[in-house]
Amino acid sequence: MNVDDILLRAVDIEKSFSGVKVLKKVGLDIRRGEVHAVMGENGAGKSTLIKVLTGVYPRDEGKIFFNGASVTINSRQDAKDLGIAVIYQELSLIPTLTVAQNILLGQEICRAGILDNGAMKLAIRKLIETYGFSLNPDAIVETLSIAQRQTVEILKALSMQSSLIIMDEPTASLSVKESENLFQTIGALKKRGVSILYISHRLEEVYRLADRLTILRDGERIAVLSQGEINPRDVIRLMIGKELRQSEHAGRMRPSRPEVVLRVRNLSRRGVFSDISFDLHRGEVLGIGGLVGSGRSEILHCLFGSDRPDSGDILFEGKPIRGTVSRNIRSGFGLVPEDRRTQGFIPLLSMKRNIVLTNYDHLVGRRLFISGKSELAMCRDAIQRLDIRPANSEIHAGNLSGGNQQKVVVGKWLMRDLKMLLIDEPTAGIDVGVKEDIYALIGELAEKGVAVILVSSDLPELLRISHRILVMRKGRIFREFSEGSVSQEDVLKAASGIQDREIESNE
Amino acid sequence: MRQETIRRLFSLLLLSILIVAFGATSKLFLTLPNIFTLLREASVTGILAVGVTFVIITAGIDLSTGAIVAFVAMVCANIFYYTTLPVWVALAAGLLIGAGAGYLNGLLVTRLHLPDFIATLSTQGIFRGLALIIAIRSSTGSISNKVITNQGFLLLGDRVSVVYLVTIAFFVVALLGQGILKMTPLGTHTYAIGSSRKSADLSGINSDRVKKVAFTISGICSAVGALFLTARMQTAIPELGTGLEFDVIAAVVIGGCAFSGGRGDVFGSVVGALFMAILTNGIYKYNLPAAFHIIIKGCVIIIMVIFDSVYHRRMDDRIRKAGKMLDQAAAAAEAAGGGAGGIS
Amino acid sequence: MSKTMSARVLIQKFQRPLILLVLVVVLTLLQPDAFATVSNFKSIFLAISIYGVMVSGSIFTILLGGIDLAVGAVAALSGACTVLTIIAFNYSDIGVILGILAGLLAGCFVGLMHGVIISKFRVPAFLITVATMNIVYGAAELLTGNQTINIISPASFTFVGGGQLFGIPFPIYIVALMAFLSFIILNMTVFGRQVYATGGNPVAASLSGVPVFRTTCAAYIISGFTAAAAGIVLASMNQQAISKAAQGYENDVLTAIVVGGTSLMGGEGSIQGAIFGALLVGILNNGLRLMGVSSIYHTLVKGIIIIIAVSFDFYSRNRNSGLLRTGRLRLWMARQVAILMKEEKHQP
Amino acid sequence: MRKSVHWGIITVMIVALALAAAGQVSAQAKKNPYKDPVKIAYLPDNIGDTVGAAWGVGIKREFAYFPNITYQVFDGKLSAETQNQIMTELINQKYDCIILQAHDAAALAASAREAEKQGIPVIDLNLDAQTPHTCLVAMVDYEAGSLVAQEIAKGVGDNGNVVIIEAPPGASRGINVEAGFRDTLKAHPGVKILAAQDGEWLTEKGNTVMRDFLTKYPKINAVFAINDAMAEGASQAAAAAGRKMIIWGADGEKKALQYIEQGKLTGTIYTNCYDEGATAARMALYAIGAEINGSKFTKTPIIKMAPIVVTKDTVASIAEKDRW
């Protein structure tokens, strides 16, 4: 690749908000057809940089060259005209429209003011075939999986003849397999000369994909590494400015305490999962792996009482539960759901009210009125224990960053006498620092005797914190890893249906 | 078949059940004049509903339609009373004022960032106030509504053989509305901003413009409705169309538009308007105390809405389950075929 | 910086009283003798008392993201129930108590129906309450036989709507009590918190153990209850029960609530705001009449003033909450970023 | 494509219905209203209104003597459009006679004309449709206003301040009554009209409006409310403010008469609404039997109910059975 073949060069970009410098003389070079990663902790200036490049924010200082020519990008349209496309973390598709309508949204093909459906369909077919995706252009987006939606996003970018695609946390909500597909797509794009600016918190992805990596810290460019130099340990050190204990590549399963807290027998829900049986012990972290859609989250919902199983028994501390959510919560259950924004918290309410929401039985007891003081005390306690930032109990939960939102969701369960925590994709879209906090928290809880069920698509995470791992496939428990050392490959194989030894769930 | 299609057929089925039920129990219901009367009653609400459909698809609401009807009607009445201008001037003025009124709603919503509800509630007061102010007065200064005698204009309230012109207009407006919604970029954009405003903005759609257009369409439809209503009543009164907006919104919502936006279409609203008209018309056929007219109407709406909701929830569930299974199968097949390449 | 921020917060917090104050000052200047008098304020409060009572309960349904359009109908029904019961008990005081109970019970029953249907079948509240509005008005018509039923005595009943206590009309106490209770329930009880939570995000609320079904039912029952209370006050005030009483009151109620900044999507808003909305409309009506503006201009002027007041209110409140998308959003984000950065800097 | 399928379905449905229904039209036969089965509809502006309800009772009492009569009440819901719709419905159903209280004189003209053209006599109550039709049975309106004006002028000794609580703008009866009142007061220059505001026909609104008048004007000698309901509200407001004044209403409903007995109201213009309803009913039967064709009239015949000026002195003359 020709080193001088620079597609986009940003020089000395400065940006400040009400006097606070968010970007300090940041530079960025993206070559034609390369995958260029940008990393940095939350607040390092990544998103601001992207927003400057795409015209959302005007820059204070600096220059941007595109294809060698100096350009001004003052609006999103400018960026679009140049061929810069962005794929956002929260997908920016219209759920009720079809794939075709979404791809061509804002650039519909018309004949005399009337949509030319034939031409549009043809264009989309061609596009889909060129890149070898499997998508039905007439499918309605809300019926697609997240991975498929992302494909639609990418197609949308490609349909605009974009030469630079910015991907912001694209794998945040993808399963392993889906991520794998995405990586292949990225490879294909690269071959066709499309440059990709890739932003992710997942080190291993960057390690695998990126041709070069720019690291930002506190609004400054700390380093630009080329492929050979990217090394997880160094990257983390550069990002946070200090050494972080590396998680082991493979997880070691640990024996659990004998005391069984939860006994699940032959649990089935039609069309979702069937014949699920397992035991959960006191102080144990039970990991559930498998592909998205293999029925993992649904099991959690059945255990928690928000869905009803069609058959099967759930025994909690020896007694059958078939109760409602509130009854389960009172007996010590907690759930951190998969989709924070739609299930986890209430965006319009303050952080305080979100945290206290599950705990009124403790806080109020039999009294009629809530004491504002004790509410505040509880919230302060949570803020302190979880290090939620900003430490303002009145801020709307919806205005917090993703990581802190997750802390709020976890925090509301910590404030009570928890016996069992069901936790679903706890670190999706969360940066490294907060991830560590959450891992530590789960460990701490297990230590205290809380039984934890962890559903995760993040293999290193699953391996690192689980004491025991069940791998689901097509709604059934496919394999259990309960002893010895387990590698990511083992789990992945199981999730994909390859087994070297069948293991019955014990008993 | 797509889920939407099934839903559509289902609502037509409900409509047919209603027709059959009324037809079987009343000799008067399935008569030719009654059917065309029924269509006529559905038409004004229906024409307004076409416009409001656009607004509701953008996740908005338009409470000013009834007041726009009164204002436009009053303007026409004024033109006929005070001038001898040709009919088309009155029609053009009416449509123009309707469009302007709708555009004003759009401006308030997009420029002043007022919630649709408040903006249109306020303009409801404003347009009704204007209708009152320009109402034709007697020499003593009190409002005295005058019968319009312009024969050309009154033709609008007439019929071609058995079909009322307003019914024809209704179907034309509905076809146009459906056409705009489904066959032009504007329609797609309307769905887009209603379904996810942010995403639409990110796709470079000028949502403010779309919103303004939607309100303008609603205003124009209100004006069209007003013209026919005025021609039928042969006069304009300032309190014309009071409460009409609720009937219209009910028709649109029964037709499948969600207040949350992005769903539904004009066809559904047409069905909704027909449903309401059939219900009202059918109940009149029985010699029941007036109280039962509204009681039965309320009960049928509740039953229908519940039925619809339960049925669709079940359908949605089934489709979701089926979809999930398919996804799984596909994933599994892919995994098995492609082998399991480790990540690291 | 923090000082100016807090001053701004202060202004924001008292945004609505400020708007009312401006209106009051303007009207006082225009009508120096008439407007700013105790008796006039009594009139204003009395004028808003009927729908003020309705607002106190209806706001629960709006906060849940629902709506209750049947409040007027419920008022008519409960008025009829109350009056008929009193007549059945021969105008005795016991009859009054039983009558009021019967009226309130009727309201609660309609509310319960709403709650059960809306939350069990997850149907749009708008349609259901429009339908029940028809049914309930129909029931009121059947109950009264479409006749006006007069009830001039007993005094214990006519006092509810027409009496004065310490020189203040009794309905004002009722609206104050209802609004106060509503404030207490919304702000100081678990149920109130659960209403906000359910309105803000029903899925998250239910996963947090909020009994969504029960909360919804309770909210609609409260709405039915206050509508019934308003109906009883109205019947007592007018000394009669009519089948079509309180027609169109649902519009006044909605206007008050929405002008008071409550979102129809649920989860956001307050009873103080709703009472502000009711007062704004009440003061406007009063002011227009005091100035002798002919009634044909009332709706027009009210429309314009509501646009001005609300856009001012929304503008200044949303300046800091990110609801404005254009330039103001950037300012807001900048400020948030600044706050975040500062917070992080202060961390050890 | 699918869209066209939907439209196709609906078109087919309509056509099928039309075909099924064709040929069911039958001719109308002459009728004896006292023997043959006849259908008569009563369509008031608002079914819950006190006056409308009293007429309804009067009509019903009259028809109760004839078992051959099917009597059906419809609700105009305070809306001219609804009334028009129901009129069309009644014409389609071939009712034999329609007793109508028009919401608006002009707005119901077309419907009334159409009904008359189809041979259905239209008897109007109180408010005339602006087209020649079979008959109008009405309370006095302009004259009522005029009578009240004279009474008030007498009451205040030709010197004093009056306020008016109006009907909603556009309501024809309100306009006429008020016009009568204002015109007559012109002959009494000493009596000054201070203000007029809309009380929406309602007691509670009458109360509110009156309170504002009392706040604004320290000296009010008399109040004229266009109907009794608002007059009652005004009386409550005046009592609450502890101010004495002359308060007049119009219509003469039962409660207003009680108020007059108790001295809370000064007077009202009483019309026997039971009688008015019954008169309309009798006219209906007559019109059917005599096959009167109102569409050939050039002017509508009018029956005016005699107004009775009721004050505390004369209220006893209204018998209990005539109180509505």
Side-chain angles (χ1 to χ4, degrees), chain A residues 118-131:
Chain A
M120 292 204 291
K121 221 166 245 178
L122 201 71
I124 297 221
R125 282 261 154 73
K126 230 166 87 189
L127 199 65
I128 290 177
E129 272 162 25
T130 315
Y131 291 92

PDB file of all heavy atoms in Angstrom, chain A residues 118-131:
ATOM      1  N   GLY A 118     -39.010   0.004  -9.146  1.00  0.00           N
ATOM      2  CA  GLY A 118     -38.231  -0.966  -9.905  1.00  0.00           C
ATOM      3  C   GLY A 118     -36.755  -0.623  -9.884  1.00  0.00           C
ATOM      4  O   GLY A 118     -35.910  -1.454  -9.539  1.00  0.00           O
ATOM      5  N   ALA A 119     -36.467   0.643 -10.192  1.00  0.00           N
ATOM      6  CA  ALA A 119     -35.075   1.067 -10.245  1.00  0.00           C
ATOM      7  C   ALA A 119     -34.415   0.938  -8.884  1.00  0.00           C
ATOM      8  O   ALA A 119     -33.262   0.527  -8.757  1.00  0.00           O
ATOM      9  CB  ALA A 119     -35.002   2.512 -10.742  1.00  0.00           C
ATOM     10  N   MET A 120     -35.188   1.273  -7.844  1.00  0.00           N
ATOM     11  CA  MET A 120     -34.604   1.214  -6.507  1.00  0.00           C
ATOM     12  C   MET A 120     -34.277  -0.223  -6.124  1.00  0.00           C
ATOM     13  O   MET A 120     -33.239  -0.526  -5.569  1.00  0.00           O
ATOM     14  CB  MET A 120     -35.576   1.832  -5.502  1.00  0.00           C
ATOM     15  CG  MET A 120     -35.737   3.319  -5.713  1.00  0.00           C
ATOM     16  SD  MET A 120     -36.259   4.187  -4.250  1.00  0.00           S
ATOM     17  CE  MET A 120     -37.901   3.593  -4.081  1.00  0.00           C
ATOM     18  N   LYS A 121     -35.221  -1.107  -6.432  1.00  0.00           N
ATOM     19  CA  LYS A 121     -35.017  -2.508  -6.101  1.00  0.00           C
ATOM     20  C   LYS A 121     -33.771  -3.027  -6.816  1.00  0.00           C
ATOM     21  O   LYS A 121     -32.931  -3.710  -6.231  1.00  0.00           O
ATOM     22  CB  LYS A 121     -36.246  -3.313  -6.526  1.00  0.00           C
ATOM     23  CG  LYS A 121     -36.624  -4.365  -5.497  1.00  0.00           C
ATOM     24  CD  LYS A 121     -37.995  -4.911  -5.750  1.00  0.00           C
ATOM     25  CE  LYS A 121     -38.941  -4.560  -4.621  1.00  0.00           C
ATOM     26  NZ  LYS A 121     -40.299  -5.043  -4.852  1.00  0.00           N
ATOM     27  N   LEU A 122     -33.660  -2.640  -8.077  1.00  0.00           N
ATOM     28  CA  LEU A 122     -32.525  -3.083  -8.873  1.00  0.00           C
ATOM     29  C   LEU A 122     -31.221  -2.596  -8.241  1.00  0.00           C
ATOM     30  O   LEU A 122     -30.271  -3.362  -8.058  1.00  0.00           O
ATOM     31  CB  LEU A 122     -32.678  -2.523 -10.293  1.00  0.00           C
ATOM     32  CG  LEU A 122     -31.891  -3.267 -11.358  1.00  0.00           C
ATOM     33  CD1 LEU A 122     -32.536  -4.626 -11.601  1.00  0.00           C
ATOM     34  CD2 LEU A 122     -31.835  -2.443 -12.643  1.00  0.00           C
ATOM     35  N   ALA A 123     -31.221  -1.320  -7.893  1.00  0.00           N
ATOM     36  CA  ALA A 123     -30.004  -0.731  -7.320  1.00  0.00           C
ATOM     37  C   ALA A 123     -29.603  -1.484  -6.064  1.00  0.00           C
ATOM     38  O   ALA A 123     -28.427  -1.775  -5.829  1.00  0.00           O
ATOM     39  CB  ALA A 123     -30.256   0.741  -7.015  1.00  0.00           C
ATOM     40  N   ILE A 124     -30.610  -1.804  -5.243  1.00  0.00           N
ATOM     41  CA  ILE A 124     -30.304  -2.453  -3.974  1.00  0.00           C
ATOM     42  C   ILE A 124     -29.842  -3.884  -4.195  1.00  0.00           C
ATOM     43  O   ILE A 124     -28.877  -4.346  -3.580  1.00  0.00           O
ATOM     44  CB  ILE A 124     -31.553  -2.388  -3.083  1.00  0.00           C
ATOM     45  CG1 ILE A 124     -31.827  -0.935  -2.842  1.00  0.00           C
ATOM     46  CG2 ILE A 124     -31.355  -3.210  -1.833  1.00  0.00           C
ATOM     47  CD1 ILE A 124     -32.219  -0.550  -1.516  1.00  0.00           C
ATOM     48  N   ARG A 125     -30.511  -4.578  -5.095  1.00  0.00           N
ATOM     49  CA  ARG A 125     -30.079  -5.940  -5.427  1.00  0.00           C
ATOM     50  C   ARG A 125     -28.602  -5.937  -5.827  1.00  0.00           C
ATOM     51  O   ARG A 125     -27.824  -6.749  -5.350  1.00  0.00           O
ATOM     52  CB  ARG A 125     -30.893  -6.471  -6.616  1.00  0.00           C
ATOM     53  CG  ARG A 125     -32.269  -6.944  -6.268  1.00  0.00           C
ATOM     54  CD  ARG A 125     -32.315  -8.475  -6.108  1.00  0.00           C
ATOM     55  NE  ARG A 125     -33.408  -8.834  -5.217  1.00  0.00           N
ATOM     56  CZ  ARG A 125     -34.694  -8.769  -5.560  1.00  0.00           C
ATOM     57  NH1 ARG A 125     -35.030  -8.388  -6.779  1.00  0.00           N
ATOM     58  NH2 ARG A 125     -35.639  -9.109  -4.709  1.00  0.00           N
ATOM     59  N   LYS A 126     -28.293  -4.963  -6.687  1.00  0.00           N
ATOM     60  CA  LYS A 126     -26.927  -4.900  -7.196  1.00  0.00           C
ATOM     61  C   LYS A 126     -25.957  -4.693  -6.046  1.00  0.00           C
ATOM     62  O   LYS A 126     -24.933  -5.346  -5.933  1.00  0.00           O
ATOM     63  CB  LYS A 126     -26.819  -3.756  -8.215  1.00  0.00           C
ATOM     64  CG  LYS A 126     -26.169  -4.191  -9.508  1.00  0.00           C
ATOM     65  CD  LYS A 126     -26.381  -3.180 -10.615  1.00  0.00           C
ATOM     66  CE  LYS A 126     -25.316  -2.095 -10.603  1.00  0.00           C
ATOM     67  NZ  LYS A 126     -25.661  -1.001 -11.545  1.00  0.00           N
ATOM     68  N   LEU A 127     -26.338  -3.777  -5.182  1.00  0.00           N
ATOM     69  CA  LEU A 127     -25.491  -3.443  -4.042  1.00  0.00           C
ATOM     70  C   LEU A 127     -25.290  -4.664  -3.155  1.00  0.00           C
ATOM     71  O   LEU A 127     -24.172  -4.998  -2.752  1.00  0.00           O
ATOM     72  CB  LEU A 127     -26.183  -2.323  -3.263  1.00  0.00           C
ATOM     73  CG  LEU A 127     -25.329  -1.514  -2.324  1.00  0.00           C
ATOM     74  CD1 LEU A 127     -24.290  -0.746  -3.113  1.00  0.00           C
ATOM     75  CD2 LEU A 127     -26.197  -0.549  -1.547  1.00  0.00           C
ATOM     76  N   ILE A 128     -26.400  -5.343  -2.868  1.00  0.00           N
ATOM     77  CA  ILE A 128     -26.327  -6.493  -1.974  1.00  0.00           C
ATOM     78  C   ILE A 128     -25.476  -7.585  -2.601  1.00  0.00           C
ATOM     79  O   ILE A 128     -24.639  -8.199  -1.942  1.00  0.00           O
ATOM     80  CB  ILE A 128     -27.745  -7.023  -1.666  1.00  0.00           C
ATOM     81  CG1 ILE A 128     -28.484  -6.013  -0.791  1.00  0.00           C
ATOM     82  CG2 ILE A 128     -27.680  -8.360  -0.962  1.00  0.00           C
ATOM     83  CD1 ILE A 128     -29.905  -6.391  -0.471  1.00  0.00           C
ATOM     84  N   GLU A 129     -25.640  -7.780  -3.901  1.00  0.00           N
ATOM     85  CA  GLU A 129     -24.875  -8.829  -4.562  1.00  0.00           C
ATOM     86  C   GLU A 129     -23.386  -8.502  -4.602  1.00  0.00           C
ATOM     87  O   GLU A 129     -22.552  -9.355  -4.369  1.00  0.00           O
ATOM     88  CB  GLU A 129     -25.404  -9.049  -5.987  1.00  0.00           C
ATOM     89  CG  GLU A 129     -26.531 -10.050  -6.013  1.00  0.00           C
ATOM     90  CD  GLU A 129     -27.332  -9.965  -7.297  1.00  0.00           C
ATOM     91  OE1 GLU A 129     -26.767  -9.504  -8.316  1.00  0.00           O
ATOM     92  OE2 GLU A 129     -28.519 -10.337  -7.278  1.00  0.00           O
ATOM     93  N   THR A 130     -23.103  -7.218  -4.877  1.00  0.00           N
ATOM     94  CA  THR A 130     -21.704  -6.820  -4.967  1.00  0.00           C
ATOM     95  C   THR A 130     -20.931  -7.213  -3.712  1.00  0.00           C
ATOM     96  O   THR A 130     -19.799  -7.671  -3.773  1.00  0.00           O
ATOM     97  CB  THR A 130     -21.591  -5.298  -5.145  1.00  0.00           C
ATOM     98  OG1 THR A 130     -22.535  -4.905  -6.113  1.00  0.00           O
ATOM     99  CG2 THR A 130     -20.203  -4.895  -5.563  1.00  0.00           C
ATOM    100  N   TYR A 131     -21.565  -7.013  -2.560  1.00  0.00           N
ATOM    101  CA  TYR A 131     -20.845  -7.281  -1.316  1.00  0.00           C
ATOM    102  C   TYR A 131     -21.199  -8.632  -0.722  1.00  0.00           C
ATOM    103  O   TYR A 131     -20.744  -9.000   0.345  1.00  0.00           O
ATOM    104  CB  TYR A 131     -21.112  -6.168  -0.307  1.00  0.00           C
ATOM    105  CG  TYR A 131     -20.477  -4.874  -0.742  1.00  0.00           C
ATOM    106  CD1 TYR A 131     -21.171  -3.957  -1.503  1.00  0.00           C
ATOM    107  CD2 TYR A 131     -19.144  -4.609  -0.419  1.00  0.00           C
ATOM    108  CE1 TYR A 131     -20.574  -2.792  -1.923  1.00  0.00           C
ATOM    109  CE2 TYR A 131     -18.541  -3.447  -0.838  1.00  0.00           C
ATOM    110  CZ  TYR A 131     -19.260  -2.531  -1.597  1.00  0.00           C
ATOM    111  OH  TYR A 131     -18.660  -1.390  -2.010  1.00  0.00           O
TER     112      TYR A 131
END
